[in-house]
Amino acid sequence: MGIDVVMVATFLAAIATFAVIVAIYAATTVKDPMARRVRALNERREQLKAGIVASTSKRRRTITNKNEVADKVRSFLGSLKMLQDEQVSKAQRRLMQAGIRSKDLAFVVIFARLVLPILIGTIVILMVYVIDWWPAWGAFKRYGTVATALILSYKAPDIWLKNKVNKRTSAIRKGLPDALDLLVICAEAGLTVDAAFNRVARELGKAYPELGDEFALTSIELGFLTDRRSAFENLANRIDLESVRGVVTTMIQTEKYGTPLASALRVLSAEFRNERMMRAEEKAARLPAIMTVPLILFILPVLFIVILGPASCSISDNLIK
C-alpha cells in the first residue's frame, strides 16, 4: 500500500518514548496541593492583619497584590476606555468562584476577550482568503469558518472560566452534607462558629479540598473582620451554589436572632442529603435513555454481524455453487 512500515514503527516508538518520559516527569514532580492551599490561606490572613493594623495608604498598598502584567493590561484597557466597573466585578466574582484568588486576573480575562478574536481571526482569514488553503470551499463555507473562529475565540475565556467554576461547584456540592453534619457536631460540642469552621476545614481538607479551603478562609475572615456578616456573605459570593446561600442565610439569622445553630444546620443537612439522593436517582433513571444511542450504534451492529454473518456466508457459498 506504499506505507513504510519501518518509518511508522519508528514514529510510534518515538511517541511511546515521549509518553513514558512525560509520565515519569509527572510522577516525580508531584506537588502537595495542601501546601499551596495553606500558603494561600496564610496570605489571606496576612492581608486581613494588614487591613486592620496598617494605615489607610499602607493598607491599600499591602492588600493589593501587585502584578506587573496585570497592571500593564489594566492601563492598556483603561486607555481604550474598555473597563466597566460591572464587567470587572463580574469577572472577579467568577474568578473567585473558580478558586482563583487574584483579582488582577480579571483584567487578563477581559484582555483575552479583546486579543483572541483579533489574533485567531487574523490567522483564519489569512488561511481561508489570502493563502487559500481550501480552494474548493464556497463563499458560505469560508464565511462560516471565519465567523465560527471569531465567536469561539471571543467566548474561549468565558468557557474556560465556566468549566472551572462548574468543576469546583460540583466538588463542593458533594461534600456539603458531610460538612454540615460536622458543623452540627462542633456546635453541639460548644465550639464557636469560627472554631467550628476551622475544625471542619481540617477534617474535610483531604476528602474535599475545595470545601475545606473555603471553610478555612471563612474561619480566618470570621476571626479578623469586624462584621461577621461580611465573612458569611463572602462565602456565598465565592461559591456558585444555592445550597451554600441557604447555609449562609441560616448562619446570618442565627447570629442576628440567637436561634439554635445545631437544629437549623441539622435540618439543612437532611435536606441536602435528600437532594443528593434525588440527583442520584435522577441519573439512574436517565441511564436507559442515554444507553439507547450507543446500543444502536455500536452493540446492535456487532450483534447482527455475529448472528447473521455465518448464515449469510453459507447462503453466499450455496448461491455460488
Side-chain angles (χ1 to χ4, degrees):
M1 296 178 63
I3 300 176
D4 191 353
V5 179
V6 177
M7 183 63 68
V8 173
T10 304
F11 182 71
L12 294 177
I15 294 177
T17 305
F18 178 75
V20 170
I21 293 174
V22 171
I24 294 174
Y25 175 77
T28 55
T29 58
V30 176
K31 296 182 179 179
D32 186 9
M34 292 297 296
R36 181 175 59 85
R37 290 196 294 272
V38 169
R39 185 168 62 252
L41 293 175
N42 289 332
E43 290 177 358
R44 178 60 177 167
R45 183 184 289 111
E46 295 299 327
Q47 289 175 0
L48 291 172
K49 286 182 181 178
I52 294 174
V53 303
S55 61
T56 304
S57 59
K58 185 178 180 181
R59 183 189 312 168
R60 186 179 300 110
R61 186 170 56 252
T62 305
I63 293 179
T64 305
N65 186 14
K66 291 297 183 182
N67 191 330
E68 296 181 357
V69 177
D71 289 339
K72 292 179 181 179
V73 171
R74 183 190 310 170
S75 60
F76 176 74
L77 293 176
S79 63
L80 296 179
K81 307 296 182 182
M82 293 187 59
L83 287 180
Q84 300 178 1
D85 294 337
E86 182 179 358
Q87 185 182 18
V88 174
S89 61
K90 184 178 179 180
Q92 289 176 349
R93 183 174 180 178
R94 296 296 287 175
L95 286 172
M96 286 192 300
Q97 292 174 353
I100 302 173
R101 306 297 181 195
S102 178
K103 294 184 178 181
D104 291 334
L105 290 180
F107 303 101
V108 179
V109 173
I110 298 173
F111 181 72
R113 294 175 187 165
L114 171 66
V115 172
L116 287 180
I118 298 175
L119 180 62
I120 297 179
T122 303
I123 295 174
V124 174
I125 289 173
L126 289 175
M127 293 172 59
V128 173
Y129 288 103
V130 179
I131 303 177
D132 197 10
W133 276 16
W134 300 279
W137 283 10
F140 180 77
K141 200 169 184 179
R142 294 170 185 265
Y143 173 77
T145 302
V146 174
T148 303
L150 290 174
I151 294 173
L152 290 179
S153 59
Y154 177 77
K155 290 292 185 180
D158 294 333
I159 294 173
W160 171 77
L161 201 56
K162 183 178 180 180
N163 186 32
K164 290 186 69 67
V165 171
N166 290 338
K167 287 182 178 180
R168 184 177 176 83
T169 302
S170 178
I172 291 175
R173 184 187 292 112
K174 292 179 181 178
L176 190 58
D178 297 335
L180 289 183
D181 288 339
L182 288 177
L183 278 177
V184 170
I185 295 173
C186 293
E188 291 178 344
L191 294 179
T192 60
V193 177
D194 50 347
F197 271 90
N198 189 22
R199 180 71 179 184
V200 173
R202 282 190 288 132
E203 293 294 334
L204 294 180
K206 293 183 178 181
Y208 305 103
E210 295 84 3
L211 186 60
D213 188 12
E214 295 296 338
F215 273 33
L217 185 56
T218 304
S219 174
I220 293 172
E221 291 182 346
L222 285 172
F224 283 97
L225 294 180
T226 56
D227 187 10
R228 297 169 67 88
R229 182 189 180 102
S230 301
F232 293 126
E233 290 177 349
N234 291 337
L235 176 63
N237 292 329
R238 290 194 304 267
I239 302 176
D240 186 20
L241 195 59
E242 193 66 31
S243 304
V244 175
R245 296 188 186 96
V247 174
V248 167
T249 302
T250 303
M251 301 295 290
I252 292 175
Q253 289 178 352
T254 55
E255 288 279 338
K256 184 177 181 179
Y257 300 108
T259 56
L261 178 62
S263 59
L265 291 179
R266 186 179 291 108
V267 173
L268 284 176
S269 175
E271 291 180 357
F272 294 158
R273 288 190 181 279
N274 292 332
E275 182 183 353
R276 186 166 65 178
M277 183 61 67
M278 290 175 62
R279 284 198 304 269
E281 292 176 353
E282 181 184 357
K283 289 182 179 180
R286 280 190 344 218
L287 189 60
I290 296 174
M291 288 296 295
T292 302
V293 176
L295 178 66
I296 295 174
L297 293 179
F298 302 107
I299 299 178
L300 289 181
V302 176
L303 186 62
F304 289 154
I305 291 173
V306 172
I307 295 175
L308 301 178
S312 61
C313 291
S314 300
I315 294 172
S316 177
D317 293 337
N318 291 329
L319 290 177
I320 292 174
K321 292 179 180 179

